[in-house]
Amino acid sequence: MEIFLQLLLNGILLGGTLAIISIGLTLIFGIVRVVNFAHGEFLMIGMYAVYLMNQHFGVHPYVAIIPAVALLFMLGAGMQRFIIQPLLAAEGHIQIFATVGVSIALMNAALMVFGADVMTVNNPSGLGTGSVGIGPLRASTGQLLTFAVSLALVGGLHWFLHNTFLGRAVRATAQHRNAALLMGVNVNRIYIFAFGLGCACLGLASGMIAPQYPVFPTFGTFFVLTAFVIVVLGGLGSLSGALIGSILIGVVDSLAGYYIAPDLKEVVYFMIFLAILIFRPTGLFGAGRGSE
Amino acid sequence: MKIMPWAINGVAALTLSASLTAYADVQIGALYPLSGGLALLGDESYRGLEIAVAERNAAGGLKGEPIKLVKADAVDAAQAVSAARRLTSSENVAAVFGSYSSALSFAATQVTELAGIPFFELGAVADNITERGLQNVYRSNPTARDFAQGTITAITKLVAPQLKVNPTSLKIAIIHEDALYGTTIAAFQKELALKEGLQVVEVLPYSAKAVDLSSLILRLKGAGADVVLQTSYQNDTTLFFRQIREAGFAPKAVIGAGGGYSMQDTVKVVGAENIEGVLDVDFPQFQTNEAGAPGIAAFAEAYRARYGSEPRSGHSLINYVGAKVFLDAMAEAKSLDAEDVREAVKAIDIPIGRTAANIGAKFGDNGQNERAQTTIMQWQQGVLKTVYPPAAAVAQATLASQP
C-alpha cells in the first residue's frame, strides 16, 4: 500500500511538471489553432536562458523566471507575427511544416552554439533540489513547488481569460474567428498575444524545472510528445483539461513504470491516447463536436 | 647490335616511372565520423591513429616508405559505404583504419572485404562485427561482452571483497537504456552474472528519453538491490542519480558501463560528491598507472605536443594502441598484400599489461583481439581513477562513501 501511495504521489507530482509545459501548448492549440511542433524547442531556449543568467549573474533559476518569461513572450509573438501569420490563409499542413522547420532550425542552432553536452544550473542554496518526507512518503521539493506553480498558473490564466477585456477577446477569437472580427476584435493582434502568452508559460516552466533537469539541445523532444498527448487528452484549449490530463498521464507513467515495465510505460499512455482519439476526439474536457 | 637511342630513352623512362611508383607513399585510409553528432569522439579517436602513424613514420614507415593518411568522413552507414568505396577503389589504400561507431564499421567492412583490403577496427564495440566470417577484418579493442565482463569482475573482485561478503549473497539489478547499446551489454551482463552464480533480481530497460525514473527506482528499492549495473547515456545517468537521492535509495555499489558514466560533464551535472565511489567500466582513461600501461605518459605527452590540449577522452588512447599494434604487424609482414598482412597479424603476441592501454594483443581466427579487456575505474573526488587491474591501478577501490 505504501508503495502504491508513493507511486501515486510521484505520478501526481510528475503531472505538475508536465502540466506547466502543456498549458502553453494548449493555449496556442486552442486559440491560434496551430499545432506548434517547436514548443519543445522554446522550452529548450528558456532552459538555456535560465542557465546563462544563472552562470553570468549567479541568480537562482526561480529568479531568472522573470526575464525568461519576457524573452519567451517576445519569441512567441515574433514567431506568430513573422512565420505563422503570413501562412494563416494557407492550409493547416503548411503551418505544421513551418513549425517543424522552426523546431529543427532551433535545435541545430543550439547544437552549434552550446554543443551537445549537458549543462546544469548552479544551485548552492539547494532550493528546488532535495526532497521532503510526508509521513512514510518522500516527495521532491522541486516537483512540489512546480506543482503548486502550475496550479496557480491555471487559476491565474482562467481568471484572466474570464474577467478581463483582453481575456474575453481572446476567448471570442478562439470560439469564432470571423464573428470576433465582426465584433471589432483585432484578430491578428490577439493571435500574436496568445502565441506569446503560450510561450511565456514556457519561460515559467524553464525556471521551475531547471534545478531538476540539465539542458541540452534535444531537451525539448523529451517532453513535447507527452505534451501533445496531454493536450489532446484534456481537450484542445482547455486549461483545466491540460492540468487533469497531465496528472492522469503522470500517474499512468508512474504506475505502469512499476507494475508493468519501465520501458513499456509510453506504450500504455499512447494506447490511452489512441482510445481518446477514437472514442472522444475532442478530449475529456473539449467543447464537444463542432467546436473546431 | 646497334641499340636505338629512342629505345634507351624508353627503357630509362620506364625504369624511372617504375621507381616513382615504388617510392610513392603508402596510403592508409582513416574512416571516422568527423562531422555530425559523433564528431567529437570520432575526431578524438582519429587523433590516436594520427599519432600512431606519425610514430611509425619516424621509425621508417612501412617497407621503407612513409605512410600517408587519407581521411574519410562518414556519419552514417550509407556514407561509410561510399567512403570505403572511395578509399579502396580510387585512393588505392593498403588498409583502412576506423571507425569509432559500430554502425559505420558494419557497413564499411562489407566493402573492404569485397575489395580484399584489410580493415582494422580500433574502437567500435558491437561483438558481431568480427562474427561474420570476414577474412580481412581485425579488431584490437574490447567488445560489448568485455564491457559486461568488466562490470561482473567489478562485483566479484572489488565490491564483494570490499563489503567482505560472498558475491553470491549480493542482489544485483541491471538497468539499461532500451536501444542497441544498453540492450546488448545488459544481455551479456545477465548471462555472465548467472554463469558466475550471482543473483540477478531485476533487469529493467527504460527509454533513454525518460524524464522520470522514480517508479524504476522504487522497484530497485523494493527488490532490495545491493548492486546496480547501469548502461546509459548522459541524460539518463544524471536523472538516475538525482532521483535515487530524492527517493532515499542507497545501493551498496553502482557500476556503469562507459557512456554517461565516463564523462566529466556528467559529474558536473550530478555533482562530484554524489558520484563519489561509483565504479565505471570502459576503455582505459588517462589516470592509469604506467606500470600496467607502459607508454601512456609518453602518449599523453605526444598528444599535448601535437594538439596543444589535454586528451578529451580515452578514445585516442585505445585507437593509438590498436593502430600501433597493427602498423607494427604491417611493417613485419612480407608485403602489404592482404594475405601477408593476415599472417603477420596472426603472429602478433603481446601479453596483457604491455601496451599503453593495458590490453594485450593476440588475434583469434575471427580477427578479434582475445587479449582486449576493459579497465575498471572509480570516481574519486571528481576524477575517474583506474582501480583494476591492479598493475594499472592508480588508486584503491573503496566503497566507504557511496551515494
Side-chain angles (χ1 to χ4, degrees):
Chain A
M1 194 59 197
E2 192 184 313
I3 282 191
F4 178 76
L5 289 177
Q6 179 72 61
L7 286 168
L8 209 57
L9 179 65
N10 287 350
I12 291 170
L13 290 179
L14 177 63
T17 306
L18 296 174
I20 205 165
I21 294 165
S22 311
I23 288 164
L25 189 63
T26 203
L27 271 181
I28 296 170
F29 224 167
I31 298 165
V32 194
R33 307 275 163 180
V34 167
V35 187
N36 181 20
F37 279 95
H39 195 71
E41 280 58 51
F42 281 115
L43 175 65
M44 179 264 294
I45 291 177
M47 294 280 283
Y48 273 116
V50 169
Y51 167 77
L52 288 176
M53 280 183 266
N54 173 271
Q55 294 293 306
H56 290 290
F57 307 114
V59 295
H60 190 279
Y62 293 171
V63 179
I65 284 176
I66 301 159
V69 164
L71 173 76
L72 268 284
F73 182 88
M74 285 188 286
L75 280 178
M79 168 142 169
Q80 169 65 24
R81 174 64 190 85
F82 297 108
I83 297 175
I84 306 295
Q85 194 169 309
L87 299 173
L88 267 185
E91 284 179 55
H93 64 260
I94 303 288
Q95 294 154 18
I96 292 179
F97 286 140
T99 64
V100 171
V102 169
S103 151
I104 294 172
L106 290 178
M107 217 186 296
N108 283 288
L111 198 60
M112 236 164 68
V113 176
F114 298 103
D117 286 329
V118 296
M119 297 174 183
T120 194
V121 293
N122 287 328
N123 187 5
S125 67
L127 179 62
T129 50
S131 58
V132 289
I134 307 169
L137 307 180
R138 291 186 79 86
S140 145
T141 48
Q143 282 189 320
L144 274 173
L145 288 170
T146 311
F147 189 81
V149 169
S150 51
L151 284 182
L153 179 63
V154 170
L157 283 172
H158 185 89
W159 180 87
F160 167 76
L161 290 176
H162 286 84
N163 296 294
T164 64
F165 189 77
L166 184 58
R168 278 195 282 269
V170 169
R171 281 195 298 138
T173 310
Q175 279 165 13
H176 205 296
R177 185 186 168 185
N178 291 337
L181 198 59
L182 289 172
M183 297 299 115
V185 176
N186 185 338
V187 169
N188 278 342
R189 202 175 286 168
I190 292 293
Y191 280 167
I192 292 172
F193 172 74
F195 211 112
L197 188 64
C199 289
C201 294
L202 288 177
L204 184 59
S206 351
M208 291 312 297
I209 66 176
Q212 300 164 58
Y213 292 96
V215 61
F216 41 92
T218 51
F219 181 74
T221 60
F222 282 50
F223 282 101
V224 76
L225 208 54
T226 319
F228 275 115
V229 174
I230 288 164
V231 166
V232 173
L233 188 69
L236 301 188
S238 163
L239 293 173
S240 47
L243 181 67
I244 292 169
S246 300
I247 293 172
L248 205 64
I249 291 291
V251 169
V252 166
D253 186 286
S254 177
L255 294 180
Y258 187 85
Y259 292 110
I260 302 175
D263 57 334
L264 292 180
K265 58 191 189 185
E266 283 91 353
V267 177
V268 177
Y269 63 71
F270 276 104
M271 275 162 65
I272 296 178
F273 179 60
L274 283 177
I276 290 285
L277 282 181
I278 294 167
F279 297 109
R280 201 177 154 78
T282 54
L284 297 177
F285 299 88
R289 263 175 213 287
S291 68
E292 289 303 292
Chain B
M1 195 181 144
K2 196 177 169 189
I3 298 166
M4 306 298 275
W6 58 265
I8 298 175
N9 284 342
V11 170
L14 276 176
T15 327
L16 192 64
S17 71
S19 60
L20 272 179
T21 322
Y23 284 101
D25 300 347
V26 178
Q27 310 254 49
I28 297 280
L31 193 152
Y32 287 98
L34 299 169
S35 58
L38 304 175
L40 178 66
L41 295 180
D43 184 55
E44 186 62 22
S45 304
Y46 171 75
R47 287 182 173 186
L49 171 63
E50 206 173 27
I51 293 174
V53 166
E55 279 185 13
R56 185 72 246 163
N57 279 341
L62 288 177
K63 309 290 159 218
E65 292 154 25
I67 300 165
K68 184 167 170 278
L69 270 179
V70 185
K71 261 191 186 185
D73 176 18
V75 300
D76 58 28
Q79 288 187 21
V81 167
S82 55
R85 281 212 185 106
R86 176 170 71 81
L87 291 173
T88 52
S89 58
S90 55
E91 304 281 358
N92 287 319
V93 296
V96 179
F97 286 69
S99 65
Y100 171 65
S101 147
S102 297
L104 302 183
S105 193
F106 272 119
T109 47
Q110 304 277 14
V111 177
T112 54
E113 181 75 10
L114 279 178
I117 287 173
F119 187 99
F120 296 115
E121 180 55 62
L122 310 174
V125 298
D127 284 76
N128 36 10
I129 289 171
T130 46
E131 284 166 2
R132 293 173 298 162
L134 302 184
Q135 293 300 303
N136 299 308
V137 175
Y138 311 94
R139 171 162 51 188
S140 53
N141 62 285
T143 66
R145 195 187 174 87
D146 300 315
F147 275 74
Q149 181 60 60
T151 59
I152 302 302
T153 308
I155 297 174
T156 54
K157 293 276 168 48
L158 298 177
V159 174
Q162 277 282 323
L163 299 172
K164 299 194 174 60
V165 295
N166 192 330
T168 52
S169 71
L170 291 169
K171 288 183 181 153
I172 293 156
I174 299 170
I175 60 173
H176 63 92
E177 64 88 24
D178 61 359
L180 186 66
Y181 162 56
T183 313
T184 314
I185 292 186
F188 284 128
Q189 282 174 332
K190 189 174 179 197
E191 179 196 321
L192 294 167
L194 295 179
K195 209 190 265 173
E196 291 271 350
L198 304 179
Q199 286 183 60
V200 178
V201 290
E202 287 274 19
V203 179
L204 298 173
Y206 59 85
S207 159
K209 280 194 162 190
V211 295
D212 186 73
L213 292 173
S214 57
S215 38
L216 175 140
I217 289 163
L218 276 181
R219 267 177 80 154
L220 298 180
K221 216 174 161 180
D226 299 309
V227 180
V228 178
L229 306 182
Q230 186 179 22
T231 306
S232 53
Y233 295 111
Q234 256 181 319
N235 172 65
D236 44 338
T237 309
T238 59
L239 185 63
F240 178 71
F241 277 102
R242 171 169 74 79
Q243 294 200 312
I244 56 173
R245 220 167 53 246
E246 287 172 359
F249 173 55
K252 294 185 176 119
V254 178
I255 306 171
Y261 276 79
S262 298
M263 302 177 103
Q264 201 69 42
D265 282 310
T266 311
V267 181
K268 261 192 253 158
V269 174
V270 173
E273 69 282 6
N274 297 321
I275 202 169
E276 180 72 17
V278 167
L279 294 159
D280 174 36
V281 171
D282 204 341
F283 298 148
Q285 310 287 313
F286 287 90
Q287 292 286 331
T288 299
N289 197 332
E290 184 84 22
I296 187 169
F299 172 75
E301 192 48 49
Y303 186 104
R304 278 190 291 269
R306 197 177 180 93
Y307 303 108
S309 70
E310 290 294 320
R312 294 169 291 191
S313 78
H315 290 84
S316 48
L317 179 62
I318 194 82
N319 275 260
Y320 161 76
V321 167
K324 197 169 149 67
V325 165
F326 289 131
L327 288 171
D328 287 351
M330 286 172 82
E332 292 292 318
K334 282 205 280 303
S335 78
L336 296 182
D337 291 339
E339 291 295 319
D340 292 330
V341 169
R342 186 180 315 132
E343 226 163 85
V345 169
K346 289 276 149 68
I348 298 172
D349 186 1
I350 303 173
I352 285 174
R354 302 302 298 276
T355 65
N358 184 257
I359 60 171
K362 175 85 188 153
F363 292 86
D365 288 334
N366 59 3
Q368 173 60 38
N369 182 3
E370 289 163 353
R371 291 184 192 155
Q373 54 171 11
T374 48
T375 51
I376 304 171
M377 291 156 283
Q378 187 172 40
W379 283 104
Q380 298 184 351
Q381 278 101 44
V383 180
L384 195 55
K385 294 180 175 167
T386 301
V387 292
Y388 190 90
V394 286
Q396 273 286 330
T398 158
L399 293 177
S401 48
Q402 276 290 296

